[in-house]
């Protein structure tokens, strides 16, 4: 067996449990259960753009799959399987060992099976396509699915955010030397950047509760913006509810006021609104679901914070605790406009 | 809408015909028909490795999908849909326009729908995951599928190759300046390299006829080798049947003898056996299928040439027309050993 294939065999091939046929043939084979639909998503991570070349390969393996599982979570789909296309500058056994361990540990945690892939020499690039399943729903129009879509938000809906926001962006600035984070808070923020936990269980639990959902990968303003665009509506976003979601600021020695005094108040807002790399969910639900959503937050031990209200008027309006408007010049992180 | 998303929208989004939900949400949704299995394959193409950076983007779009459809063909699967992950050094509108046209023209020809993707800035890299379908077959063991697998070859089976072999490798050497190809034969060979036609119809037609199948992407020796390894058997390969498959040599002014006199006899053999980039199928079938396979070749107007016999003894034995052994030191093209 030649080098490339031996390499794949060694690090990425394991017995197939869910697929009809796994790694090793021209195609993998997968059979979905009757009444189920496949949810499919692809993400590509490029060295120097989405991660530093010297990132711990174990964390990189974890994150490469995490960002894809986050897309399944946003649809409320249950993970099934994934393919991996990997371009590497050189055949580096310790790197592959650690990368595959990080990747497959997260895969195992979500019962998501590696069923195929491609390995080649080239600039370090990781492309994963993930497959999940979600029940069909022939009664639902215009898309006959029980999957959560971006297009279902309606005026009057509450808008929620899961977990915390902005700490990953803060960690990135610290790694880039733009700011100095105090030692006790630094590893936690870095953990948020390098080892995000995709909200797969939350997404599935939200299927009967939420009207629309997206994952927050490019920043809240941008990703809530996708929901608003596809739902043809707008939202009023209460910034006083958002700022406490920046965990580093809450835990700062001297409290949030000291954080703002140290870094300047716009930093917290920038990180929370447009930081990127959060991999939390932003979702909408009618006010009738408030009790159920609060109960779900308790069950999952995960904050689900009501931060905005959907309105008929298009656009995103940022307001303070008193409802007074804020400047809305926070763009989503975007690979081509920055 | 921000730059990156506008870009995707502009070149790659079209109304979805087969998918429940296409491009534009966190996931695409696909529902497979009852009794069908999904066949899934991923390939990654890297600039400077799999193609020249200045390759005509229209041809590159075609080839990027063609190499993936070739994997579906090898399994006998019918194409359904694909995802595209694209890393680009810069946002280049004319390039994207041409690339998407080449890509989507081949997609349309095979009714294979673009259902999702990711676009980012980085070294030019194209990763496609293709999804096809194939009937399940619960009576078939150990894998309950009607898909063609690499593992089904048995001693006594004939080995066939579709179409022509080695012309793509010849064109590559000409483009690299290693050899000089006469003008009338150059564009045809280059067409084989840059615009391969995946054998999708042939693959599906072979499902009831063939015992094993693989596509020839890395050279016949390597890809037939995969069949032999997974079927735990060997083969005797008649080189005199293979050399006429090099179309450029057959059509050379003065005939095959003049080709060999010009370039040296080993070149033809190297290109046919280990050239790479052929995207033909190599398949096995019992001698009882000879009439059916000859009829299929007629129907498809595509040569299906019997070039080898499967034997119980492991290994690949190259023989001449008289059955005398040849040197077997032709390695498969491999990204990490070359």
């Amino acid at each position: 067996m030649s080098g490339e294939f031996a390499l794949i065999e060694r690090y990425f091939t394991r017995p197939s449990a869910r697929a009809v046929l796994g790694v090793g043939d021209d195609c993998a084979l997968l059979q979905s259960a009757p009444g189920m639909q496949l949810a499919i998503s692809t993400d590509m991570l490029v060295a120097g753009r989405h991660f530093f070349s010297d990132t711990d390969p174990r964390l990189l393996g974890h994150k490469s799959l995490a960002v894809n599982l986050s897309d399944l979570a946003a649809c409320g789909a249950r993970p099934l399987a994934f393919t991996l296309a990997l371009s590497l500058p050189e055949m580096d056994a310790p790197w592959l060992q650690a990368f595959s361990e990080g990747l497959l540990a997260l895969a195992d945690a979500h019962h998501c099976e590696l069923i195929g892939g491609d390995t080649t020499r080239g600039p370090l690039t990781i492309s994963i396509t993930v497959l999940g399943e979600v029940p069909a729903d022939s009664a639902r129009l215009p898309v006959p699915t029980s999957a959560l879509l971006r297009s279902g938000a309606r005026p009057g809906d509450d808008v929620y955010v899961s977990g915390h926001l902005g700490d990953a962006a803060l960690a990135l600035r610290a790694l880039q030397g733009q700011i100095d984070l105090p030692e006790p808070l630094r590893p936690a923020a870095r953990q948020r950047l390098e080892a995000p936990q995709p909200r797969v269980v939350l997404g599935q639990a939200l299927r009967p509760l939420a009207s629309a959902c997206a994952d927050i990968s490019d920043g809240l303003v941008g990703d809530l913006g996708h929901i608003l665009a596809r739902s043809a509506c707008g939202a009023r976003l209460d910034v006083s509810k958002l700022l406490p979601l920046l965990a580093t600021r809450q835990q700062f020695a001297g409290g949030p006021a000291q954080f703002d005094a140290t870094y300047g108040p716009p930093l917290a807002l920038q990180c929370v609104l447009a930081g990127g790399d959060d991999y939390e969910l932003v979702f909408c639900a009618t006010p009738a679901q408030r009790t159920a959503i609060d109960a779900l937050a308790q069950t999952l031990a995960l904050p689900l914070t009501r931060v905005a209200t959907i309105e008929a008027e298009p656009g995103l309006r940022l307001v303070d605790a008193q409802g007074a408007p804020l400047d809305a010049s926070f763009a989503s992180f975007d690979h081509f406009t920055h």
Side-chain angles (χ1 to χ4, degrees), chain A:
Chain A
M1 189 167 282
S2 55
E4 180 189 355
F5 290 93
L7 176 164
I8 295 168
E9 193 88 6
R10 182 157 162 206
Y11 296 105
F12 297 110
T13 309
R14 298 188 302 177
S16 176
R18 303 185 89 164
V20 177
L21 187 71
V23 174
D25 214 298
D26 286 287
C27 293
L29 297 173
L30 196 67
Q31 189 146 14
S32 63
M36 301 301 275
Q37 293 167 338
L38 280 166
I40 302 140
S41 186
T42 294
D43 270 301
M44 185 180 252
L45 301 185
V46 178
R49 179 106 206 134
H50 300 96
F51 60 90
F52 300 104
S53 298
D54 62 354
T55 297
D56 177 347
R58 190 180 310 263
L59 292 171
L60 185 59
H62 171 99
K63 185 163 177 175
S64 302
L65 183 58
V67 304
N68 280 280
L69 290 176
S70 183
D71 285 316
L72 288 186
C75 291
R78 191 171 71 103
L80 285 177
F82 70 105
T83 63
L84 166 71
L86 181 61
S87 165
L88 283 174
E90 55 184 353
M91 160 61 199
D92 177 341
W95 191 95
L96 276 163
Q97 172 82 35
F99 178 84
S100 67
E101 282 174 8
L103 180 84
L104 296 175
L106 185 68
D108 287 347
H110 291 281
H111 309 288
C112 190
E113 196 161 275
L114 177 59
I115 55 169
D118 192 17
T119 314
T120 186
R121 190 176 285 202
L124 180 53
T125 306
I126 302 146
S127 177
I128 286 180
T129 299
V130 75
L131 302 161
E133 65 177 7
V134 74
D137 180 355
S138 57
R140 201 164 149 208
L141 291 174
V143 186
T145 185
S146 71
L148 298 171
L149 304 180
R150 293 175 174 173
S151 51
R154 295 294 170 262
D157 280 0
D158 297 322
V159 180
Y160 295 80
V161 161
S162 68
H164 294 89
L165 288 185
D167 297 289
L170 215 51
L172 182 61
R173 283 167 206 236
L175 284 171
Q176 288 172 332
Q178 292 175 27
I179 58 166
D180 209 26
L181 274 187
E183 197 45 58
L185 299 176
R186 204 176 177 148
R190 198 165 161 177
Q191 176 85 1
R192 288 303 310 256
L193 177 67
E194 295 180 335
Q197 295 301 324
R199 301 304 182 192
V200 171
V201 175
L202 172 64
Q204 290 172 78
L206 286 175
R207 278 210 314 268
L209 303 177
S211 56
C213 188
D215 77 322
I216 308 176
S217 53
D218 295 336
L220 175 62
V221 167
D223 290 309
L224 175 54
H226 294 317
I227 291 180
L228 300 183
R230 288 184 72 97
S231 301
C233 51
R236 175 174 303 260
L237 194 59
D238 182 348
V239 164
S240 71
K241 300 264 184 60
L242 282 172
L243 285 175
L245 297 182
L246 186 64
T248 310
R249 181 170 173 267
Q250 293 304 107
Q251 291 152 16
F252 205 75
Q258 188 57 43
F259 180 96
D260 290 344
T262 305
Y263 302 109
L267 180 65
L269 205 54
Q270 277 169 7
C271 287
V272 165
L273 285 177
D277 268 327
D278 296 303
Y279 300 105
E280 295 292 349
L281 298 184
V282 51
F283 60 95
C284 306
T286 65
Q289 303 293 355
R290 283 183 190 175
T291 310
I293 289 169
D294 290 346
L296 181 60
Q298 292 284 327
T299 305
L300 300 179
L302 178 69
L304 301 176
T305 309
R306 194 149 35 90
V307 297
T309 309
I310 298 292
E311 297 177 332
E313 190 191 341
L316 190 61
R317 289 162 288 282
L318 303 182
V319 298
D320 63 19
Q322 285 72 44
L326 262 81
D327 178 27
S329 63
F330 296 99
S332 168
F333 179 82
D334 183 285
H335 300 294
F336 281 99
T337 54
H338 281 61

